[in-house]
Every structure is written in structure tokens, then in C-alpha cells.
Amino acid sequence: MGISTGQQYIDRVNARRPDVFIDGERIGAGLADHPQFAASVRTFARLFDMQHDSEHQAALTFASPTTGDLVSTSFLVPRTEADLVRRREGMRVWATETNGFLGRTGDYMNSALTALAAATSFFAQADPVFGERIAAYTEYVRENDLLTAHALIPPQTNRAVPSSEQGDGRIAARVVEERADGIVVRGARMLATAAPIADELLVFPSTVLRGAPQDAPYSYAFAIPSDAPGLKYYCRTSMYGGSGVVNEPLAARYEEVDALVVFDDVFVPNDRIFMLGNPKVRNEWYSATGAGQLMTHQVACRTLAKTEFYLGLASEIADAIGIEQFQHIQEDLGELITYVEIERALLRAAEADGEVNADGVYLPRWQTLNAARNWFPKSVSQRLTEIIRKFSASGLMSLPGEQDLQHLDARADLDRYLQGARVDAETRIRLFKLALDASVSGFAGRENLYEYFFFGDPVRMKAALVSSYDRDPARARVRELLARGA
Ligand SMILES: Cc1cc2nc3c(=O)[nH]c(=O)nc-3n(C[C@H](O)[C@H](O)[C@H](O)COP(=O)(O)OP(=O)(O)OC[C@H]3O[C@@H](n4cnc5c(N)ncnc54)[C@H](O)[C@@H]3O)c2cc1C
């Protein structure tokens, strides 16, 4: 079958029966038409359609190795640097279309699946059958062009103790029964973005939490359809207020729902279980399989597109209200340019310095990507919004609604008093509404939080960076200098 159209994706969303709670309503079907989900579904549908667009098809697709049908480039197993570049070209198209605001485009988890499906030696440590299952599952997702969401971390009840000790061990999702044909899972996972409108939910290990031997019931990796019986989603209130693309230009397009996921005795058949028990092997799920590398490569493409967007937005604002000549404004514009160029350089360096692993997969250089994923959340992402607020100042609040512009009694005042240095009032209002949605609105606040915690807790990620980085050569040079004679 190969690549889906947007309509096929919408039909799938409407055909499913997920158990979804939002704002006091329990929705059992028809999510694509529901006001809380319709906008995000439309955006994802547009991404599916782009795969059929002659302008983008060469970048977004390749011929399936099993059927010859066109499938997403995010499933291309990189064997050479050129393959990695090809993957990046595909990811760049979607990241540019969504300006980096949509974190759950299909290529993110497709990248993880691609690496896991090729990680034969990793799965051989536990049981090769897990490797065979995830390869078959990845082929299923690839050939049917399914959208996957993921849930990785246990609820935040008490971070001072492991999952096995939270609420008598009855809070975090755990295996409560092992049957001949599969497992039964009960409990919760903290958050899954876009899960109610995805086709499949991947319930994989956390990127930062490490399992100890007593965590065996909490140690697993599996996939289920997003409307599997017993699965429930408790969604947060939407960040999109429903007032249209002029008033909420980003939220109206890129709001992704986030949801607490509850497993009420969910049955997972054997062919969808990719790891069971074995916390030690599970701890290396991302690092020893290449999944961490391919996922981070996708994220680095996305965050580059986002940083470029903020550079464009800051430049438009500076020009619109005549502040570009001030030195501190130029300093910030220079900072944004530097971010864009460093991010681009990190991506290229990771690709160029990649290596072929034991399974013959050419992976981007981890140390470079690890630096990128530690650097962006704390140093770059928070500055993007801060710079827009600083440039825009009260312009972010002096913003009448779209309807006021149409009011005959108001129009003359608004045209006069809200014009910019080089733009008319209507253009300026639209630009500043975009700035508001990019820096101050609920949508912007959620994006800030998202980027900060995207890969996990930045504090523990930094600790992992330090412990995994080979500092010996640098330390040896210091010792050598100290030992030198005159
Ligand atoms: C908008 C958004 C979307 C998300 N989407 C998804 C998704 O689709 N799928 C998914 O699986 N996850 C998702 N997440 C969750 C994300 O992975 C987590 O936010 C991240 O891993 C941090 O975990 P936490 O939120 O539970 O924070 P916690 O671990 O509870 O941390 C809270 C605070 O306590 C500190 N802390 C806690 N424990 C320790 C410790 N042992 N050592 C030092 N400091 C500690 C942290 O530094 C932090 O400051 C999303 C998060 C956000 C904000």
C-alpha cells in the first residue's frame, strides 16, 4: 500500500474508537471532526498529502525494500552518509512546513522504529524473537504509513522512589499478568502527545529513567493500536481557543494534544511485545540500538527549522516597528543567526563524522548530536521566545481582535494608531498576533515547556552527557603540561 493520503489518515482517525476524555466530555469516535482535534488532524493530513505532491515526493519517499511501493524516507535504513543526508532532506520538508512547532510528525518515531528494526545484535542479547517482532512491526507501520505516538514515563506521583514503590507499586503501568498469548498491562503513563489522533501507541522505556532488578514488571516495550480496549486518554484543555488563524496563527495549526494514558487491563499480544523484563538490556534501548541517534537527527532538523522561523519573525518585527538599528536588537539578531548556523553545522558534522555500527547501519556521530540535544533545550529554545517578547514589548498587548478591524467605527483609529514604520495596521496586527502566539500565549508557554523537556529532564541528560563523554584525552593534555619541564 505505501504512503497514505490525508483523507485516508482522516478516515482512519474517524474509524477508530479511542476512549478520550477532554473538558468533561467523553468522546468515543469521530475525533477528526471534533472541534478540539479537527485542527491538528488537518495539519497531520496535510503532511500525509505532501508525500503525494510532485514538488516534495522525491524527498519524502523512497521505494519500499519489500513491496516497491513508495514509503516514507524516515524508514530508509542509512547505510552511508548519503542515506543520512537523504533522510534529512525528507525531514526538512515537514519541519519547514510546520516551522518546527509540531514535535510529533511521523518521522520522529519512525526514526526510532527504523533503528530498532535494524538492531539485530542488540536484541540478540535478550531474545532474538524481540528483534524479529519489532522488524515485522516496523514493516507494518511503514507499509501502512501509520502515525505513531509514544508514552515513555511513569506518572509524577513521587520522584523520590522508583516506580515499584509509587503508591504500593500500583500507579505506573506494569505487567499484571503474563499469558501464553501475551501480557496484561495496568496503571498509567504520564503523557503521550498526539496519541488520541495517532494510529498506534508505542509504550517504550524512558530515555532517562533507569530500571533496577525490582523494576522487572515495569520493564517492557510494546505497541498497541491507539484505541486498544482498556486504553484511556485524559487530555489537557486545548491550547487552541478556536478563534481562527489570524488570532491564533500557531495554535490553530500546530496545537498537539497531550494526554495522560491509563491502561485498564490492556491486553498486548505477543507479536507486539518487543522487550519484557530484563531491565539491564532495556536501559540500553536507545543508546545501543541507534534509536537515540536517528531520533535526535530528526529533532535537530526540526529545531533548526524552528530557529530559522524565529530568526525570520524577529527580523520582521524589528523592521515593522523600526528598531533594527539599535545595537542590542542587532546583538539579539546576531545571536539568532549564530544559533541557526551552529545548529546547521552540528547536523552536518554529525552526518559527516558518522560511523557504521555492528549491524551495518550508518549512524550520525552521537557525541555531536548529544551536545546538540543538551544545548538546544536550555540555551536556545528559551531564548527564542524571550527575544520575541523583548522586541515586541507592549505591541504584544495592544492587539485588537480580528473583528474589530472590520468594525466601521473602529477601523480609522486602528489604521492610524496601529500602523508600523513600514507596514500598515492590518499587517502589523497580524504580525504581532503571530509574535504573541510564538512567545506569550498558552500555546507558546507549552512550546517552551515542550522544548525544555523534549528529550527528558535536562539535568539528568547533562549528567548522562558528562558520564558518557570521553574526557581522558583532554585531561591527559593538562597532565602533560603540568609534567613538562621548563
Ligand atoms: C509538552 C510536553 C509534551 C510531552 N510529550 C511526551 C510524549 O509524547 N511522550 C512521552 O513519553 N513523554 C512526553 N513528555 C514528557 C517528558 O518526557 C518529560 O517531561 C521529561 O522526561 C521529564 O520528566 P517529568 O516531566 O516527569 O519531570 P520530573 O522527572 O518529574 O522532574 C520534575 C523536576 O524534578 C527534578 N527531578 C526529578 N527527579 C530527579 C532526579 N532523579 N534527579 C535530579 N532531578 C530530578 C527534575 O530536574 C525537574 O526539575 C512531554 C512533556 C511535555 C512538557
Side-chain angles (χ1 to χ4, degrees):
M1 186 184 133
I3 47 172
S4 293
T5 62
Q7 190 57 51
Q8 285 169 326
Y9 160 68
I10 290 171
D11 292 345
R12 292 201 304 261
V13 172
N14 272 339
R16 273 196 309 273
R17 302 274 176 274
D19 197 1
V20 177
F21 293 78
I22 186 163
D23 294 336
E25 190 185 351
R26 187 173 191 174
I27 315 169
L31 255 61
D33 300 323
H34 191 280
Q36 297 280 10
F37 300 96
S40 347
V41 170
R42 263 199 311 277
T43 298
F44 279 104
R46 160 98 191 109
L47 299 180
F48 279 104
D49 276 339
M50 286 175 78
Q51 299 180 122
H52 297 267
D53 185 334
S54 57
E55 188 186 344
H56 302 299
Q57 193 164 74
L60 286 172
T61 66
F62 76 110
S64 159
T66 51
T67 61
D69 292 340
L70 289 181
V71 293
S72 167
T73 315
S74 54
F75 287 110
L76 178 72
V77 179
R79 303 288 178 193
T80 61
E81 184 191 340
D83 287 342
L84 268 190
V85 172
R86 181 139 186 233
R87 287 179 57 85
R88 166 164 53 80
E89 273 305 302
M91 298 187 295
R92 188 188 58 77
V93 172
W94 275 0
T96 307
E97 169 68 18
T98 57
N99 291 303
F101 286 102
L102 213 61
R104 296 294 178 256
T105 48
D107 49 2
Y108 180 49
M109 289 315 286
N110 291 351
S111 297
L113 288 173
T114 301
L116 289 161
T120 316
S121 6
F122 169 78
F123 287 103
Q125 295 177 77
D127 185 340
V129 77
F130 292 130
E132 289 159 21
R133 288 177 188 168
I134 202 154
Y137 177 76
T138 301
E139 187 174 339
Y140 165 70
V141 174
R142 181 186 73 207
E143 299 303 321
N144 291 283
D145 205 12
L146 302 179
L147 178 65
T148 60
H150 62 285
L152 310 186
I153 56 164
Q156 207 177 30
T157 316
N158 180 358
R159 288 287 187 250
V161 295
S163 292
S164 50
E165 290 171 35
Q166 282 195 13
D168 290 337
R170 293 186 186 165
I171 288 180
R174 65 211 175 276
V175 177
V176 290
E177 191 186 343
E178 287 192 38
R179 298 178 4 191
D181 54 348
I183 54 172
V184 177
V185 177
R186 189 183 301 160
R189 283 263 161 125
M190 180 80 169
L191 210 58
T193 300
I197 57 166
D199 296 296
E200 290 274 318
L201 180 66
L202 307 177
V203 188
F204 282 179
S206 159
T207 53
V208 288
L209 302 177
R210 294 285 164 254
Q214 69 271 26
D215 295 325
Y218 305 84
S219 176
Y220 45 71
F222 61 82
I224 39 177
S226 59
D227 60 351
L231 196 58
K232 294 183 200 157
Y233 301 105
Y234 292 93
C235 304
R236 65 163 164 75
T237 297
S238 176
M239 296 297 174
Y240 174 45
S243 69
V245 292
V246 173
N247 284 327
E248 300 173 88
L250 297 177
R253 295 176 170 104
Y254 307 134
E255 154 69 350
E256 292 170 300
V257 69
D258 301 299
L260 168 75
V261 186
V262 171
F263 301 79
D264 222 347
D265 287 357
V266 172
F267 175 69
V268 185
N270 280 335
D271 62 339
R272 282 165 165 270
I273 302 170
F274 313 130
M275 187 61 64
L276 196 57
N278 220 330
K280 191 173 162 295
V281 178
R282 189 208 72 151
N283 286 345
E284 295 179 340
W285 184 256
Y286 302 96
S287 57
T289 58
Q293 272 113 311
L294 292 193
M295 289 163 83
T296 312
H297 188 232
Q298 187 275 350
V299 174
C301 294
R302 181 184 66 75
T303 51
L304 171 59
K306 190 171 195 174
T307 312
E308 288 168 343
F309 184 80
Y310 274 85
L311 170 62
L313 180 59
S315 304
E316 287 290 297
I317 293 166
D319 189 51
I321 58 171
I323 56 173
E324 195 161 319
Q325 76 278 16
F326 301 124
Q327 279 184 339
H328 67 289
I329 299 294
Q330 292 188 4
E331 187 183 18
D332 286 349
L333 288 171
E335 185 180 327
L336 292 173
I337 293 168
T338 310
Y339 290 152
V340 166
E341 289 305 318
I342 292 176
E343 286 172 35
R344 187 171 290 147
L346 287 171
L347 251 180
R348 284 296 299 123
E351 289 163 1
D353 297 343
E355 277 178 12
V356 176
N357 73 5
D359 297 305
V361 182
Y362 183 91
L363 293 170
R365 184 172 189 267
W366 176 239
Q367 290 86 341
T368 309
L369 289 178
N370 202 6
R373 76 172 190 149
N374 271 278
W375 176 63
F376 183 83
K378 288 185 83 167
S379 305
V380 182
S381 76
Q382 310 299 305
R383 281 290 288 151
L384 300 180
T385 46
E386 195 176 12
I387 288 172
I388 297 304
R389 287 194 296 271
K390 180 172 153 189
F391 278 28
S392 310
S394 64
L396 291 172
M397 294 295 123
S398 192
L399 274 180
E402 192 188 355
Q403 301 87 335
D404 297 320
L405 267 175
Q406 312 312 326
H407 200 296
L408 290 180
D409 298 342
R411 183 73 198 215
D413 275 347
L414 299 182
D415 276 345
R416 177 186 296 263
Y417 298 119
L418 285 181
Q419 65 181 298
R422 275 178 280 279
V423 289
D424 62 23
E426 191 165 345
T427 309
R428 182 179 178 286
I429 288 171
R430 288 188 71 143
L431 175 65
F432 276 70
K433 280 183 185 288
L434 175 59
L436 182 82
D437 222 9
S439 67
V440 171
S441 67
F443 175 84
R446 188 252 178 205
E447 281 284 321
N448 255 15
L449 190 72
Y450 198 27
E451 297 299 2
Y452 191 82
F453 284 109
F454 195 91
F455 271 111
D457 173 19
V459 174
R460 279 167 282 169
M461 275 175 27
K462 197 61 83 50
L465 171 69
V466 172
S467 65
S468 66
Y469 195 87
D470 181 10
R471 289 171 289 147
D472 284 348
R475 293 178 65 173
R477 278 173 50 194
V478 173
R479 287 197 301 270
E480 188 276 329
L481 179 78
L482 292 175
R484 251 185 235 171

